[in-house]
Amino acid sequence: MKCRGTVRVELSRDVTRDDLEALEKALKEVGLALAKGFRSPEEGGRVVSWEHAGRVLSLNIETGRLRIDEASMRVKNSLEASLGARRIGVRGIRLEDALVEVEGEVRVDTKLPYVESIEKSQGRTLIRLKSLEERDLKRPVLLKLLRLLDEKEARARWGGKAEHWQLLKRSRIKFDPPLFTGDPNKVLEEAGLVKRFSIGQWLYTPLATYLLNAMRELFLSEVVLPLGFREAIFPKMYPLEIGLKTGHLRGTINSMVFCSLPKTYEISEFEELTDYMYVTDEAPPEELARYLRHPEYFLCYAQCEPFYWFFGGELLDDSSLPVKWFDRSGPSFRWESGGLYGLERVIEFHRVEVVWLGKPEQVVETRNELLRAYERFMDEILDLEWRAAWVTPWYYEQSGAAERVEEFDIDKPGTIDFELWVPYRGPREEQKAWLEVGNISIHGTKFTSPFRIRHNRGETLWTGCSGFGAQRWLVAFLAQRGFDPDNWPPALRDFLSRNPPPEPVSAVTYPKTQAGREELRRLVELLKKV
Ligand code: ATP
Ligand code: ZN
Ligand code: MG
């Protein structure tokens, strides 16, 4: 990388003839400061020319490995030190006409912040920047900008496929032929166990809740609690800042649900709108928007974000590690657009989110314990056809630069997905017949670093998390084993026999169809015989 640009220095007073000698000396110092730590001024930075007019001093500089924003700050600090003796202060600096030349033809030419233009020629890319104020030079936006270009480049190169998918393990074939080939999403709706509330949202009647809870409770008692995880309650509405730190706001903004607070608490200020609704019985969203603040929150997305926030800025010692918590206190929200389907891909879903924090070996060990417990849960407790796969992105950001993930190492950051066969979608040989129901991730320092979660003796801390989506587990379970409890595994039957089912909802007009009403009657009878 090579850079050049003009550093405009605003001084506290005009430079006079008498100051010239001192100024020349000061500029020699600047030269030394720019080359400091490098083998030559070409490798670090140098002043190519300079001029002054009134109280403005302009330096044309060129840099090699020293980034031009850092060079500009060196100019300022050096001038401050040497002009102080002549009672000339430095009011501020600004970098103008900066040109950054990077190796390779960067394939992106989007509208990037601070970029005036991008030019590509002969294997090099010239990035012309808008002028950078001192606070931009300090932040440092240029570093971030270069990283962003790197990431975009990596995404353009490897982004076609979203992630590696490598089979780790699969269960034996258990249902040949399948016990059930119906679509449980349809049965649950038809029998009136659930009713569509709005796009991607359902109301789960007590009977549906009973089944969802059975899945969740079994998971907690067989997997989570025996491993020593303790329950916490996490907030479900997050300030934007949390999403900036976790990276979700950049990576998954297209599927997040945002929310706004009212502009005022004064009800009379809404009068025009409330009168309109009174008269017309309509609530026009665009009108409502005028009474709301801009979105300052997003709804629970990954569900583990508040955990990192809680330990943010804290120091932990060995006695408190590893920390093992879980949250199941409320829903997660995702805008899945065209992908929405039944209960298995919804906007509002319920998940048990398991999170842990510790030294790398503790985080890996906890993941391994969970992995074994999940395997037992799928294979013995629920006795289903399952598979586990290692999924990692094709590239990831490593110390500021996007790197390709060449091979997988299960003890490094990455994710294991659990998938269950859903026969209603096709034979088990087909990729589309598998539904991801949960996963376990090791994040490395992805969250401990931005949230500044630290160890008192400076050891590295990692985190991990695992999400158990209740709707997905229930749908996949029913898809394999059907609705007849005679075909359900003993652990679940035991659980249900200790917790008798609630009475179903029945109204003259609900469930809607005759077939649905019969389905419900049959289902209740079946459940009663457990
Ligand atoms: P997918 O690739 O199927 O969209 P994901 O990778 O987005 O899943 P995660 O972000 O890892 O899912 O969330 C963890 C778990 O939360 C999933 O394994 C699943 O059980 C559940 N989940 C995620 N999105 C939804 C959704 N839209 N509806 C229901 N459950 C979901
Ligand atoms: Zn998580
Ligand atoms: Mg998803």
Side-chain angles (χ1 to χ4, degrees):
M1 187 178 73
K2 276 198 287 192
C3 312
R4 57 176 187 271
T6 306
V7 184
R8 283 239 206 267
V9 186
E10 195 195 334
L11 302 170
S12 58
R13 65 166 172 80
D14 285 0
V15 178
T16 63
R17 246 171 223 288
D18 295 348
D19 299 317
L20 279 182
E21 200 179 320
L23 194 55
E24 266 171 36
K25 244 166 108 187
L27 285 159
K28 283 217 177 73
E29 289 296 324
V30 168
L32 292 176
L34 290 179
K36 197 169 172 197
F38 296 95
R39 273 175 306 185
S40 66
E42 281 67 35
E43 197 190 85
R46 65 196 184 93
V47 181
V48 182
S49 62
W50 62 276
E51 60 188 25
H52 74 89
R55 57 173 65 185
V56 176
L57 182 63
S58 303
L59 290 79
N60 293 317
I61 61 171
E62 259 180 29
T63 66
R65 279 175 43 213
L66 180 64
R67 266 199 342 267
I68 197 156
D69 51 338
E70 292 177 301
S72 308
M73 291 312 296
R74 286 192 185 191
V75 169
K76 182 188 180 206
N77 295 337
S78 170
L79 285 175
E80 252 169 359
S82 35
L83 293 178
R86 291 198 63 83
R87 297 183 186 284
I88 304 180
V90 178
R91 284 276 159 82
I93 61 165
R94 184 200 293 160
L95 177 63
E96 289 176 358
D97 303 321
L99 198 66
V100 180
E101 191 180 328
V102 291
E103 294 278 347
E105 293 192 19
V106 179
R107 264 175 279 182
V108 286
D109 55 348
T110 43
K111 281 215 175 301
L112 293 164
Y114 299 100
V115 172
E116 183 73 49
S117 65
I118 294 184
E119 232 174 84
K120 292 166 249 182
S121 76
Q122 297 171 348
R124 310 192 68 75
T125 305
L126 290 178
I127 306 164
R128 191 173 293 283
L129 301 177
K130 295 186 175 141
S131 57
L132 295 173
E133 300 297 333
E134 190 169 333
R135 63 187 174 89
D136 300 326
L137 296 169
K138 278 181 185 160
R139 273 205 283 170
V141 294
L142 187 55
L143 173 67
K144 293 283 188 62
L145 191 64
L146 293 174
R147 269 189 202 169
L148 180 63
L149 286 177
D150 235 22
E151 261 184 58
K152 280 179 177 289
E153 183 66 2
R155 214 173 300 150
R157 218 176 311 155
W158 305 314
K161 298 169 194 149
E163 49 189 27
H164 289 272
W165 187 97
Q166 199 148 350
L167 184 70
L168 287 179
K169 209 168 178 180
R170 66 186 304 163
S171 70
R172 63 183 170 77
I173 290 174
K174 298 183 177 183
F175 308 108
D176 196 15
L179 278 177
F180 185 73
T181 51
D183 179 347
N185 296 290
K186 293 204 172 124
V187 179
L188 289 166
E189 184 176 13
E190 200 169 63
L193 268 71
V194 295
K195 186 172 179 181
R196 191 186 298 276
F197 182 66
S198 181
I199 322 165
Q201 279 183 300
W202 296 88
L203 188 149
Y204 303 86
T205 64
L207 196 51
T209 306
Y210 169 77
L211 294 174
L212 281 172
N213 280 347
M215 286 289 137
R216 261 200 298 217
E217 292 300 328
L218 214 53
F219 175 67
L220 289 176
S221 64
E222 297 290 342
V223 176
V224 180
L225 296 171
L227 292 176
F229 289 92
R230 304 308 299 252
E231 182 164 9
I233 296 180
F234 294 162
K236 295 291 173 284
M237 183 169 109
Y238 310 150
L240 294 181
E241 181 204 330
I242 299 281
L244 263 183
K245 280 196 175 155
T246 60
H248 287 118
L249 208 48
R250 281 185 298 129
T252 56
I253 192 165
N254 58 330
S255 57
M256 290 159 85
V257 180
F258 294 91
C259 43
S260 295
L261 299 176
K263 278 186 184 157
T264 169
Y265 189 64
E266 185 52 55
I267 183 85
S268 62
E269 293 195 24
F270 292 83
E271 206 165 325
E272 201 185 318
L273 178 62
T274 51
D275 289 350
Y276 181 88
M277 293 189 296
Y278 184 100
V279 175
T280 65
D281 245 344
E282 277 172 22
E286 61 285 0
E287 270 306 300
L288 174 61
R290 299 202 297 120
Y291 295 82
L292 300 181
R293 282 162 44 173
H294 291 302
E296 288 158 307
Y297 299 87
F298 62 99
L299 295 181
C300 173
Y301 185 84
Q303 207 179 331
C304 47
E305 299 93 330
F307 179 76
Y308 317 124
W309 167 85
F310 179 83
F311 289 102
E314 304 292 349
L315 272 185
L316 291 112
D317 63 14
D318 287 353
S319 68
S320 47
L321 298 173
V323 183
K324 295 161 85 173
W325 290 4
F326 72 91
D327 168 80
R328 54 152 165 179
S329 66
S332 297
F333 295 85
R334 296 212 181 156
W335 170 235
E336 301 273 8
S337 189
L340 291 163
Y341 183 71
L343 270 63
E344 54 183 69
R345 190 174 287 277
V346 286
I347 292 184
E348 179 174 341
F349 60 96
H350 297 83
R351 179 167 50 179
V352 178
E353 178 74 7
V354 184
V355 249
W356 59 104
L357 160 70
K359 300 184 201 179
E361 62 280 9
Q362 292 174 321
V363 168
V364 171
E365 177 53 26
T366 303
R367 192 276 316 269
N368 291 346
E369 285 171 0
L370 257 178
L371 191 54
R372 284 191 289 272
Y374 260 107
E375 221 183 286
R376 194 180 138 262
F377 185 68
M378 294 186 290
D379 213 56
E380 293 168 31
I381 309 290
L382 295 182
D383 199 3
L384 296 171
E385 282 195 31
W386 58 273
R387 64 186 195 187
W390 177 253
V391 288
T392 33
W394 280 83
Y395 66 92
Y396 66 100
E397 212 190 314
Q398 177 83 323
S399 43
E403 276 180 16
R404 185 173 180 147
V405 180
E406 292 293 353
E407 60 200 52
F408 90 85
D409 174 349
I410 199 158
D411 292 337
K412 288 234 175 96
T415 296
I416 295 168
D417 272 356
F418 299 112
E419 302 178 349
L420 298 176
W421 178 37
V422 281
Y424 83 86
R425 287 199 204 159
R428 61 174 74 68
E429 290 70 32
E430 287 179 19
Q431 191 70 16
K432 70 169 187 349
W434 293 81
L435 178 64
E436 181 200 319
V437 289
N439 55 34
I440 318 186
S441 291
I442 296 181
H443 317 121
T445 58
K446 183 174 171 195
F447 301 123
T448 51
S449 158
F451 284 92
R452 298 176 50 75
I453 306 173
R454 287 162 305 149
H455 182 268
N456 68 326
R457 285 197 312 276
E459 291 186 50
T460 301
L461 292 179
W462 280 8
T463 56
C465 78
S466 172
F468 175 97
Q471 279 85 349
R472 295 248 181 120
W473 282 86
L474 179 63
V475 168
F477 174 84
L478 294 170
Q480 284 190 32
R481 290 192 162 271
F483 286 79
D484 183 350
D486 277 347
N487 292 327
W488 292 0
L492 183 63
R493 294 173 57 94
D494 277 358
F495 179 87
L496 298 179
S497 66
R498 279 182 276 117
N499 303 275
E503 286 302 319
V505 178
S506 81
V508 181
T509 51
Y510 194 82
K512 277 198 174 50
T513 61
Q514 183 59 28
R517 285 194 286 276
E518 266 155 32
E519 185 75 64
L520 179 63
R521 206 169 307 125
R522 205 174 59 85
L523 197 69
V524 172
E525 248 149 53
L526 287 170
L527 279 173
K528 279 194 176 139
K529 73 181 187 187
V530 185

